[in-house]
């Protein structure tokens, strides 16, 4: 692999950085602060709406033509589409590299680096994440970005490398917890099955054999199988801490989390608990205060992890068979919201 230093002229200007430093952004912040003093509920609602809306708007990114030899492909996604950029002059068989932008960015920001990778023998793939660039939608969030990366990986992957920036890197973290960890988790599962089979073939049927195969091996493997996810999560948490990103996320979320008695650093463990509560609980090591760490551990299992989705789906299908698709989707969302409200309520009670 050849690594080249990019000249300053090769980098693409990020309009979001200019906007956040502009008088317009300071004016919006002042208006929201004044509105919050008059009506906290209205001010909070408008602020949250802006929080999930990429600023500046996508008009600038949509107005740019797709430069040759790049080709835009639209992948259907959640009632809209995400735009995936590929070069039309690259022969198949090269190592594939996915490049993702950050919040309020677009694929054009990563194009200079992608051209450099193409010159070095790779096949770069650019992605406009939901509500960004030429993709559909005007509001998005981290969980939707994770789902979009899963969809793009299933259609255009697998990847030999990924380059991610800012919030795109955080979305990649949750994708890796599932995709990358799936391989060693399969090894653990197969190893436990092989060991149980060997003991079953070599020992006579007895309660002691059942204790070993159904108790010890099944029980230990049921816990150890989460080890790859925990190790990957720890690796990314180390990157986030060393880069200063964790401190920024904690600072941004501290005011909101403090209303229910949680520290800003509890945000990442609770967010991780939507994937699995075990890595989420392990991630609480970043919370220095013992009481805050204990409260986060206690409420993390209340978040709806991915293992509960089949249970929710079956319950909705059995209990409400005549409900429309929109009603079923609303009930599923309500179940997630009940978990969040319960977690925040219990956190406030524990504190």
């Amino acid at each position: 692999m050849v690594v080249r230093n990019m000249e300053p002229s090769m980098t693409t200007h990020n309009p979001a950085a200019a906007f956040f430093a502009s008088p317009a952004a300071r004016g919006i912040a002042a208006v929201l602060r004044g509105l919050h003093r008059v009506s906290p509920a209205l001010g909070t609602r408008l602020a949250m709406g802006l929080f999930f809306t990429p600023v500046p708007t996508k008009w600038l990114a949509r107005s740019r033509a797709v430069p040759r030899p790049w080709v835009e492909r639209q992948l259907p996604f959640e009632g809209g589409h995400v735009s995936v950029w590929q070069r039309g002059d690259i022969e198949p068989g090269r190592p594939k590299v996915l490049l993702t932008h950050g919040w309020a960015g677009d694929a054009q920001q990563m194009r200079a680096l992608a051209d450099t990778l193409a010159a070095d023998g790779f096949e770069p793939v650019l992605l406009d994440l939901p509500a960004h660039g030429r993709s559909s939608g005007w509001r998005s969030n981290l969980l939707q970005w994770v789902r979009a990366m899963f969809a793009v990986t299933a259609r255009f992957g697998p990847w030999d490398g990924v380059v991610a920036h800012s919030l795109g890197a955080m979305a990649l973290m949750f994708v890796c917890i599932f995709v990358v960890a799936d391989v060693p988790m399969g090894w653990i599962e197969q190893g436990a099955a092989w060991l149980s089979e060997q003991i079953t073939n070599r020992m006579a049927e007895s309660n002691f054999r059942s204790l070993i195969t159904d108790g010890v091996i099944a029980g230990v493997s049921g816990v150890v199988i989460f080890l790859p996810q925990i190790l990957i999560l720890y690796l990314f948490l180390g990157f986030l801490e060393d880069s200063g990103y964790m401190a920024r996320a904690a600072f941004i979320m501290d005011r909101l989390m403090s209303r229910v008695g949680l520290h800003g650093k509890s945000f990442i463990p609770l967010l991780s608990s939507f994937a699995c509560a075990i890595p989420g609980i392990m991630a609480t090591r970043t919370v220095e205060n013992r009481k805050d760490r204990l409260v986060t551990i206690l409420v993390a299992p209340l978040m709806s992890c991915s293992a509960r989705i089949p249970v929710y789906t079956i319950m909705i299908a059995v209990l409400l068979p005549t409900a429309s698709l929109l009603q079923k989707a609303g009930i599923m969302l309500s179940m997630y919201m009940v978990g969040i409200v319960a977690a925040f309520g219990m956190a406030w009670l524990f504190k």
Side-chain angles (χ1 to χ4, degrees):
M1 176 179 178
V2 180
V3 179
R4 298 180 180 174
N5 292 325
M6 296 179 61
E7 298 296 330
S9 58
M10 292 177 64
T11 58
T12 307
H13 175 62
N14 182 1
F19 173 81
F20 291 132
S22 66
R26 291 193 292 269
I28 292 174
V31 170
L32 288 174
R33 284 194 297 268
L35 186 60
H36 187 268
R37 294 189 182 96
V38 177
S39 175
L42 179 59
T44 302
R45 187 160 61 248
L46 290 177
M48 292 301 293
L50 284 174
F51 184 79
F52 291 112
T53 303
V55 179
T57 60
K58 303 188 334 175
W59 294 324
L60 181 61
R62 287 178 173 176
S63 63
R64 302 194 199 105
V66 179
R68 293 186 179 181
W70 289 94
V71 178
E72 178 191 3
R73 306 185 190 280
Q74 295 185 351
L75 177 67
F77 176 72
E78 296 187 357
H81 73 272
V82 290
S83 293
V84 180
W85 298 36
Q86 292 180 297
R87 288 180 62 110
D89 60 344
I90 292 181
E91 63 279 2
R94 290 188 179 187
K96 286 186 176 181
V97 179
L98 175 67
L99 296 94
T100 63
H101 58 80
W103 187 258
D106 61 82
Q108 292 267 29
Q109 292 176 241
M110 312 295 286
R111 185 164 54 84
L113 178 57
D115 290 335
T116 303
L117 290 172
D120 290 335
F122 294 89
E123 180 184 350
V125 178
L126 298 175
L127 171 61
D128 275 325
L129 287 159
H132 290 71
R134 303 173 76 88
S135 294
S136 61
W138 294 95
R139 288 186 179 181
S140 188
N141 54 66
L142 178 61
L143 296 178
Q144 189 180 43
W145 280 26
V146 173
R147 296 194 298 271
M149 285 192 178
F150 273 115
V152 172
T153 300
R155 173 63 179 83
F156 296 94
W159 313 114
D160 295 281
V162 179
V163 179
H165 171 63
S166 188
L167 193 66
M170 184 170 287
L172 174 66
M173 176 183 74
F174 293 104
V175 173
C176 287
I177 289 176
F178 282 100
V179 176
V180 178
D182 189 56
V183 176
M185 288 174 72
W187 295 341
I188 295 173
E189 189 175 8
Q190 293 171 7
W194 177 85
L195 185 58
S196 294
E197 183 180 358
Q198 296 302 312
I199 294 176
T200 302
N201 294 336
R202 286 168 170 75
M203 290 183 63
E205 184 177 357
S206 63
N207 291 333
F208 183 66
R209 189 186 75 174
S210 178
L211 173 64
I212 296 176
T213 56
D214 300 330
V216 177
I217 297 178
V220 173
S221 64
V223 176
V224 175
I225 197 171
F226 292 103
L227 185 61
Q229 290 184 335
I230 294 170
L231 294 177
I232 291 174
L233 181 62
Y234 269 25
L235 176 65
F236 277 99
L237 287 175
F239 289 153
L240 292 175
E241 287 178 344
D242 293 342
S243 64
Y245 200 94
M246 183 72 76
R248 294 185 182 93
F251 177 77
I252 292 172
M253 299 301 299
D254 187 64
R255 186 173 182 180
L256 176 63
M257 304 292 280
S258 64
R259 293 179 182 272
V260 294
L262 292 172
H263 192 274
K265 289 187 176 181
S266 300
F267 171 70
I268 298 295
L270 293 180
L271 191 63
S272 303
S273 298
F274 280 107
C276 180
I278 294 176
I281 291 173
M282 299 294 289
T284 57
R285 69 178 184 86
T286 59
V287 182
E288 290 91 352
N289 184 276
R290 183 179 180 275
K291 187 175 181 180
D292 291 335
R293 183 166 61 251
L294 180 60
V295 171
T296 307
I297 291 173
L298 291 173
V299 302
L302 296 175
M303 296 296 185
S304 296
C305 69
S306 58
R308 300 180 191 177
I309 295 178
V311 179
Y312 291 165
T313 304
I314 293 173
M315 288 177 60
I316 294 172
V318 172
L319 298 177
L320 300 167
T322 59
S324 65
L325 182 62
L326 186 60
Q327 289 174 330
K328 291 180 179 179
I331 294 170
M332 178 73 79
L333 178 62
S334 300
M335 290 181 172
Y336 271 83
M337 293 305 299
V338 167
I340 296 172
V341 172
F344 284 174
M346 294 305 296
W348 177 83
L349 179 64
F350 289 147
K351 290 289 285 189

